[in-house]
Amino acid sequence: MSNNVVVLGSINVDTTYHVDRFPQPGETISAVSKSSAPGGKGANQAVAAARSGAKTAFIGAVGSDKEGAYMLESLADDHIDTRHIMTDELHGTGSAAITLDANGQNDIMVYGGANQAMATDVLNGIDDVLEDADFLISQFETPQEVALNAFKQAKKYGVTTLLNPAPAHEILPELLKYTDVITPNESECALLTGIEITDEESMLKSADYFRERGVKHLLITLGSKGVFYSTPTAHGLVPAFKVKAVDTTAAGDTFLGALSSQLEKDLSNVDKALVYAQRASSLTVQQMGAMPSIPNHDAVIKALAEN
């Protein structure tokens, strides 16, 4: 199976500061080491999809700087179609400063740059990738208006749209009407719906909330507890794989990109695809860095066979 996936989203260069513990407010601490790697939610998701075998195209923007050239090269190295990545002459390439502690937990500060300055003109001429696409993915590190317009275009071609509402903030009501699958984590879900995630009942209520607003399918990532899914015909919890995490930076992005590579457009194989996606994510958190830690299809299949 080989899906065609289009990702509209953010492109960042990640700089990670490795620390023993997070600083207290007003406190200065020393970083043990520092490293840089390609990242951004959108770019991570595209790489995860591509490494799991999906034919992948990217819609986005970078600055006319060395970081932008570096990111275009990084995406092309994973055989991602970069023709629809614009160069912004006024804004720099997005970047993220990540603080990573000894337990593998992180804090992230993001500079939007070209990502946040993106306008709907980035969508000019994207019909050539949408007409063959199975899935279009977007997140909230780029403007919602651009995602809305892209999702509208995607619907003309029968593309299944996936919205990753991260970082979470208020969603344009019209965007939900064009969203087929929404994939928040539990805190994002609670922030968006006002329903605290405590048990299955609260998750089903959350699914009802989104369904009333036009979204048929809800996937809530629950960290070490797994993933809850709700479709119009079924719901359930797919457990997570237990591993020792060293860096959780791209865990959610790997999950979503890997999922899009395996999922049927009608979500008929959602259980199986979720197992695959969670296995991919479990491999990512055992390695350092965002994009460098994302596994390929063979590594995921091998890990599934060992489990």
Side-chain angles (χ1 to χ4, degrees):
M1 175 178 171
S2 180
N3 282 341
N4 280 17
V5 176
V6 179
V7 179
L8 162 65
S10 55
I11 298 171
N12 292 332
V13 175
D14 293 345
T15 300
T16 301
Y17 296 86
H18 303 259
V19 298
D20 291 325
R21 60 173 178 82
F22 294 123
Q24 299 298 312
E27 181 186 15
T28 300
I29 64 171
S30 295
V32 177
S33 61
K34 172 185 163 185
S35 57
S36 292
K41 284 187 176 299
N44 291 339
Q45 290 166 10
V47 167
R51 289 184 187 170
S52 278
K55 181 181 177 184
T56 309
F58 200 94
I59 303 165
V62 294
S64 59
D65 45 34
K66 67 180 189 298
E67 289 83 6
Y70 167 63
M71 289 303 302
L72 288 172
E73 186 178 323
S74 296
L75 292 170
D77 284 346
D78 274 293
H79 309 290
I80 293 167
D81 180 349
T82 62
R83 289 175 298 145
H84 296 288
I85 298 176
M86 290 181 62
T87 299
D88 186 331
E89 301 292 341
L90 299 177
H91 302 88
T93 300
S95 60
I98 302 166
T99 307
L100 179 69
D101 76 4
N103 297 316
Q105 293 302 308
N106 58 43
D107 279 344
I108 305 175
M109 292 180 294
V110 176
Y111 161 68
N115 297 317
Q116 280 299 322
M118 199 186 300
T120 53
D121 61 351
V122 75
L123 305 177
N124 293 341
I126 65 168
D127 294 74
D128 64 331
V129 292
L130 288 181
E131 62 188 4
D132 296 322
D134 297 301
F135 294 96
L136 171 62
I137 303 171
S138 193
Q139 332 76 35
F140 282 169
E141 287 185 341
T142 52
Q144 287 190 47
E145 291 79 5
V146 181
L148 171 58
N149 279 271
F151 278 21
K152 283 182 177 179
Q153 285 184 240
K155 287 289 122 198
K156 292 189 295 185
Y157 296 101
V159 179
T160 299
T161 53
L162 278 78
L163 180 63
N164 177 217
H169 48 75
E170 189 175 350
I171 304 178
L172 293 173
E174 194 178 3
L175 179 56
L176 290 176
K177 294 177 184 176
Y178 288 91
T179 298
D180 294 309
V181 187
I182 193 164
T183 65
N185 63 27
E186 53 194 315
S187 61
E188 290 160 354
C189 193
L191 188 65
L192 294 169
T193 65
I195 302 166
E196 187 181 354
I197 300 300
T198 54
D199 54 14
E200 185 180 82
E201 184 183 358
S202 61
M203 291 187 281
L204 287 170
K205 283 182 179 176
S206 299
D208 289 339
Y209 175 94
F210 286 114
R211 206 157 285 138
E212 288 164 5
R213 287 157 178 79
V215 187
K216 292 181 180 177
H217 309 281
L218 170 65
L219 307 178
I220 307 175
T221 53
L222 304 167
S224 61
K225 295 189 287 293
V227 179
F228 171 83
Y229 70 90
S230 174
T231 74
T233 57
H235 68 270
L237 180 69
V238 178
F241 292 88
K242 289 180 169 55
V243 296
K244 168 69 173 166
V246 297
D247 184 358
T248 59
T249 304
D253 297 332
T254 299
F255 166 82
L256 190 55
L259 178 72
S260 71
S261 76
Q262 305 299 307
L263 195 61
E264 297 285 355
K265 286 180 68 175
D266 61 0
L267 275 74
S268 57
N269 67 335
V270 64
D271 298 64
K272 185 177 180 182
L274 285 172
V275 171
Y276 177 94
Q278 290 204 95
R279 197 61 177 123
S281 183
S282 77
L283 295 178
T284 293
V285 302
Q286 295 179 72
Q287 305 292 329
M288 297 302 298
M291 210 175 281
S293 68
I294 298 171
N296 61 28
H297 180 68
D298 290 346
V300 180
I301 295 298
K302 181 182 177 185
L304 284 168
E306 290 170 353
N307 199 65

